[in-house]
Amino acid sequence: MPDTQLVLEALSALSGCTMEQTDGASVITPQDFVNVVALKEFYRQEGFKELEYPSLGTLSLQEDGDLYSSPMPLAEGPHNPEPSGSLRPTVKINPQDFFHPQYDYDFTHVKDGDRKFLRGNEQYLRPCGWNRVALRVMQKYDDGDAWLGTGSNAWPVSYHGHNMDGSLGIIWTRKGSATDDPEFLDAAAAALVDKGQTKRGRGVYSTPDVKIAEKYCKKFKSKVDGKTYQVVLQNRINPEKREQCQREDVWLVFVPEGVSDVQKRAIVQEAIRPYGLLLKQV
């Protein structure tokens, strides 16, 4: 496993919280973490400025820079003050109950070439070039661990890049208008195939291709070694809960209008389960 402080920086960059190590129990679980990351992007897509999350309080949805910028430094300083504590909460993480080093895997120098891998009878594009920090998610769900396996009843692998759905959401608000922006072509990803009808892609996006997620990933400069890293979440996605997009390399967990905050959390939790944090030095 990479340096613990480096990994906590990566979690901080993705969540917008300040992650700190503790010897006590972790305040959140890996599932809470992916809920926060996904819902922050969704709420931002919907135009909200803040997100309330149990055990964390109020989280700011204000961006700390453009898509490819580093996050705000984790420590206060005269030239880079922290946001209000109520909007950037400090979250205590115990590495022993949050990470699972036994299943770490360094893909940094791995090249799969023509080799094929399957998860849930669907192609698994391994995150070659990335270093995976495993999250402790085994024996955490009532339906067992089959979702995390390699058999036919396993869930397919998906990757979540910071601001992925936020970017596509912005594109959707411009749908039908003239634009020279190359990213406008990605609007096709939000067009869902549903009984021959196309509906607006409102929800949480992910992709089976880490190269797509990398286009939207968060970057941060580590205070541990001064190097810049990219960070992406590696998840499993419930094949019964995702929507098929016109682009095969983008999936959507649809969030209907009018559902409560509790229902939104439930939708994410039933559809997306994290199991790895991916790091890549730039």
Side-chain angles (χ1 to χ4, degrees), residues 55-76:
S55 77
L56 296 184
T58 303
L59 290 79
S60 173
L61 303 184
Q62 299 296 320
E63 282 288 6
D64 46 44
D66 64 32
L67 185 61
Y68 298 102
S69 68
S70 301
M72 297 182 70
L74 301 185
E76 288 192 40

Side-chain angles (χ1 to χ4, degrees), residues 39 42-43 46 48 51-54 202 254-269:
L39 288 173
F42 171 71
Y43 276 65
E46 292 296 295
F48 291 95
L51 166 67
E52 293 284 343
Y53 196 86
R202 182 179 189 270
F254 183 67
V255 178
E257 294 187 15
V259 297
S260 68
D261 290 345
V262 173
Q263 289 172 315
K264 290 170 186 172
R265 290 197 298 272
I267 288 171
V268 174
Q269 190 155 320

